[in-house]
Amino acid sequence: MKTQIFKVDSDNIDNTVIGKAADIIKSGGLVAFPTETVYGLGGDGLNPSASVKIYAAKGRPSDNPLILHISDLSQLSPLVSEIPENAKKLAREFWPGPLTMIFKKSDAVPKETSGGLNTVAVRFPENRIAQALIRAGGTPIAAPSANTSGRPSPTRASHVEFDLSGKIDMIIDGGACEFGLESTIVDVSGEVPCLLRPGSITLEMLREVLGRVDVDKAVVSKLDTGELPKAPGMKYTHYSPSADVVIVRGDRDKMVHKINELISQVESSLKIGVIATEENKDRYKNCEVLVIGSIKEPGTIAANLFKMLRKCDYHKIDKVFAEGLCEDELGLAIMNRLKKAAGYCIIEV
Ligand code: AMP
Ligand code: MG
């Protein structure tokens, strides 16, 4: 299959391209498109065969459900069996935006889309190109991240092209994604709301609106054998570049010293990279420094994380040391992705 690629400017959306993309969605095909979180691989979420195609293109396990994307609040009620009060509060505050909520599903959602669960994940994205596509398609769009399963999520159209060219019908190139981490996922289907995946809508922001919000264990730590995360996708290995990744975290000077010490111990034939913040980038020796953003602006780190993990592969780096961050606010989401990329290998200093 030949994948068509079109550039679209979100300030001046070309409706001919959106129309073509919507026709592909309506006829059961797949279109990758930008959202404010990461690029999504979209198909008609109510068409079981489109969902099956999404799993195949990504190589995604079929028990890992898809998020349905809507462009208007009125599209929510047909997908769910009830809209709890907590969901209404979160929607008022954070939709459209980088927040996904889990509801009890209605019969309209095919089991192929919900991964066989009796719940469904729904998000109302803010990105204008995403909204235009969903509106034109006239259906909720199922859209997981548009990467090959296991690889870092795509934050640029070139990442999607690298992973999925030849496997999908179209890529809409809308430039770099604003937030760069996948959406926050909150389960609002039970008594107490529960954070299943941290993102740019932080736990602190959710608690400010709802009061009590529990946190699924998979958000912060590796699960024991036999334990299952509440978001099925959180059990799979993720984000891993081919390189071996180690996180070093602690007092700034000690951390820099430890990373330099670890570099000096690596076999000389191996290529070493350090994922470093702006503040420390000039302090590492005998390695390639990948600058990820500034500690003072965690949003820059979130926006660059997946690009840096992909860069480790492009630059054929064998061993990566990454500076660890504090796990509050946006740091919780960044560290959640980084820990998975490192297979939970963290040295605290
Ligand atoms: P992605 O679309 O690649 O960002 O992945 C979607 C994430 O949402 C995966 O971790 C899924 O397991 C999770 N998810 C989707 N639907 C549900 C659901 N009904 N219950 C719990 N988690 C879900
Ligand atoms: Mg994903």
Side-chain angles (χ1 to χ4, degrees):
M1 168 191 303
K2 171 139 178 50
T3 303
Q4 310 179 67
I5 305 178
F6 294 98
K7 272 202 162 65
V8 172
D9 176 357
S10 64
D11 290 326
N12 183 16
I13 293 179
D14 179 342
N15 285 318
T16 322
V17 174
I18 298 296
K20 271 190 194 168
D23 286 343
I24 293 172
I25 298 283
K26 286 177 193 164
S27 61
L30 304 185
V31 177
F33 62 97
T35 81
E36 66 273 26
T37 59
V38 301
Y39 273 75
L41 175 57
D44 180 350
L46 303 185
N47 175 347
S49 78
S51 289
V52 169
K53 278 189 202 165
I54 292 177
Y55 288 101
K58 279 179 62 78
R60 181 173 174 117
S62 62
D63 68 346
N64 187 3
L66 309 177
I67 297 173
L68 286 178
H69 293 71
I70 58 175
S71 57
D72 192 283
L73 271 181
S74 64
Q75 284 177 294
L76 176 62
S77 64
L79 304 174
V80 305
S81 66
E82 60 169 328
I83 305 179
E85 211 43 50
N86 283 332
K88 289 181 189 158
K89 288 185 191 163
L90 290 180
R92 266 198 297 277
E93 202 67 36
F94 302 118
W95 274 5
L99 176 74
T100 296
M101 290 190 262
I102 309 290
F103 298 87
K104 295 197 175 94
K105 81 174 194 70
S106 74
D107 292 340
V109 180
K111 65 177 188 325
E112 286 79 1
T113 300
S114 73
L117 299 179
N118 55 12
T119 51
V120 62
V122 185
R123 180 161 98 85
F124 181 172
E126 185 166 34
N127 180 288
R128 288 198 213 140
I129 298 171
Q131 288 189 2
L133 176 62
I134 302 163
R135 261 197 310 274
T139 182
I141 293 188
S145 50
N147 53 299
T148 298
S149 224
R151 303 243 315 132
S153 296
T155 54
R156 288 168 175 62
S158 59
H159 300 164
V160 182
E161 192 183 349
F162 186 89
D163 281 13
L164 298 178
S165 185
K167 296 181 176 172
I168 62 178
D169 300 286
M170 190 196 275
I171 299 172
I172 300 178
D173 179 352
C177 299
E178 183 188 349
F179 292 108
L181 294 180
E182 307 89 341
S183 59
T184 303
I185 303 182
V186 190
D187 186 347
V188 290
S189 70
E191 195 89 329
V192 180
C194 185
L195 177 70
L196 308 191
R197 179 173 75 183
S200 300
I201 304 293
T202 65
L203 182 60
E204 289 83 352
M205 289 156 82
L206 296 171
R207 286 187 172 150
E208 185 137 355
V209 177
L210 298 182
R212 179 172 166 193
V213 178
D214 289 350
V215 178
D216 191 41
K217 184 181 169 193
V219 167
V220 276
S221 48
K222 188 174 182 191
L223 296 178
D224 297 326
T225 353
E227 277 185 309
L228 285 179
K230 292 213 176 91
M234 298 281 278
K235 73 173 173 279
Y236 295 106
T237 339
H238 251 81
Y239 312 127
S240 345
S242 313
D244 203 24
V245 182
V246 175
I247 302 169
V248 181
R249 181 167 66 173
D251 165 83
R252 185 170 162 199
D253 289 338
K254 283 190 189 152
M255 177 184 73
V256 171
H257 178 80
K258 184 71 188 177
I259 291 178
N260 278 317
E261 181 188 299
L262 290 166
I263 291 172
S264 72
Q265 292 164 358
V266 175
E267 203 187 302
S268 63
S269 62
L270 298 182
K271 190 165 175 191
I272 304 168
V274 172
I275 296 185
T277 51
E278 192 66 47
E279 286 80 359
N280 298 326
K281 66 175 197 272
D282 299 324
R283 301 175 71 190
Y284 298 106
K285 312 230 157 25
N286 305 319
C287 62
E288 178 166 345
V289 176
L290 304 156
V291 182
I292 192 172
S294 163
I295 302 171
K296 292 191 214 97
E297 289 171 75
T300 57
I301 299 179
N304 278 321
L305 177 64
F306 292 140
K307 181 175 153 196
M308 289 306 152
L309 290 175
R310 281 178 177 260
K311 220 171 186 177
C312 294
D313 280 348
Y314 300 146
H315 292 205
K316 301 207 161 33
I317 291 172
D318 302 294
K319 183 96 195 170
V320 176
F321 299 106
E323 293 183 9
L325 305 175
C326 232
E327 278 168 278
D328 60 356
E329 305 199 344
L330 196 50
L332 182 67
I334 296 168
M335 285 301 288
N336 167 269
R337 309 313 193 271
L338 204 49
K339 280 178 181 174
K340 283 170 178 255
Y344 296 88
C345 182
I346 307 184
I347 300 173
E348 304 274 358
V349 287

